[in-house]
Amino acid sequence: AQSVTQLGSHVSVSEGALVLLRCNYSSSVPPYLFWYVQYPNQGLQLLLKYTTGATLVKGINGFEAEFKKSETSFHLTKPSAHMSDAAEYFCAVSEKGAGSYQLTFGKGTKLSVIP
Amino acid sequence: GAVVSQHPSWVICKSGTSVKIECRSLDFQATTMFWYRQFPKQSLMLMATSNEGSKATYEQGVEKDKFLINHASLTLSTLTVTSAHPEDSSFYICSVRGVSQPQHFGDGTRLSIL
């Protein structure tokens, strides 16, 4: 069974500061890993994903994440926070080879950006 | 542009009525569609998975007769909340996936039962 743990349900950063949202996963097989962003009253938008290959993945809006197998982590970072980054962020895992490729989501981290 | 169209975006109705939510895949044939439910300040909980032409597979604890899912074509799935009650009030989100496609999500439907 797969699971995702997001450390910190709420993270606040100053505008221009580094954004670091933590995600650890557990999976019995090599995983696919995802980060999604959700704005109020909207669905989820894919920020980036890791499937195979390069472990440092770049996504939209300046975000990137690094897959670290030894640490079972997939933390999301952005060098400089912008006010428009304020949203809810979800880390998700999907097991490679699973019949239905179901996503399992973490509980989410709400990012607040302070002017 | 949007990959998934979910309609309506907001529904308010009386207790006991049935509500239908549509989910359309706009850019590709969705071999699999997912329905999620999200409670305030919580993550998405998968309700069911459906493949075109097949019966939906429901997650444990989700009532099949309460939440009717019809995946009529490769571009359309509907979720009908039957005899809705206040406890069914929630944010419902559909998601679609095609061959060699990641999951794309609709913008969600906020359902409020009075």
Side-chain angles (χ1 to χ4, degrees), chain A residues 83-106:
Chain A
M83 294 300 293
S84 61
D85 294 327
E88 187 94 23
Y89 291 81
F90 293 94
C91 180
V93 61
S94 175
E95 286 191 343
K96 188 186 303 183
S100 62
Y101 284 90
Q102 290 182 2
L103 286 172
T104 299
F105 289 91

Side-chain angles (χ1 to χ4, degrees), chain B residues 60-79:
Chain B
Q60 189 174 7
V62 178
E63 299 176 57
K64 300 179 182 181
D65 296 331
K66 177 75 171 177
F67 300 99
L68 301 179
I69 292 172
N70 183 15
H71 192 159
S73 72
L74 284 170
T75 59
L76 174 65
S77 176
T78 60
L79 168 67

Side-chain angles (χ1 to χ4, degrees), chain B residues 42-64:
Chain B
Q42 293 190 28
S43 188
L44 280 71
M45 299 299 295
L46 180 64
M47 298 175 67
T49 304
S50 72
N51 296 297
E52 187 266 340
S54 303
K55 288 185 178 180
T57 301
Y58 290 79
E59 295 300 302
Q60 189 174 7
V62 178
E63 299 176 57
K64 300 179 182 181

Side-chain angles (χ1 to χ4, degrees), chain A residues 34 36 38 41-46 49 88 90 99-103 105-108, chain B residues 10 34 36 38 41-44 46 49 59 91 93 97 102-103 105-108 110:
Chain A
F34 306 80
Y36 287 88
Q38 184 181 32
N41 295 312
Q42 293 187 28
L44 274 66
Q45 180 182 4
L46 181 65
K49 64 178 179 180
E88 187 94 23
F90 293 94
S100 62
Y101 284 90
Q102 290 182 2
L103 286 172
F105 289 91
K107 291 187 176 181
Chain B
W10 202 305
F34 306 86
Y36 295 86
Q38 186 179 31
K41 299 183 180 180
Q42 293 190 28
S43 188
L44 280 71
L46 180 64
T49 304
E59 295 300 302
F91 194 56
I93 304 175
R97 189 180 68 220
Q103 276 188 241
F105 289 81
D107 279 343
R110 184 158 302 283

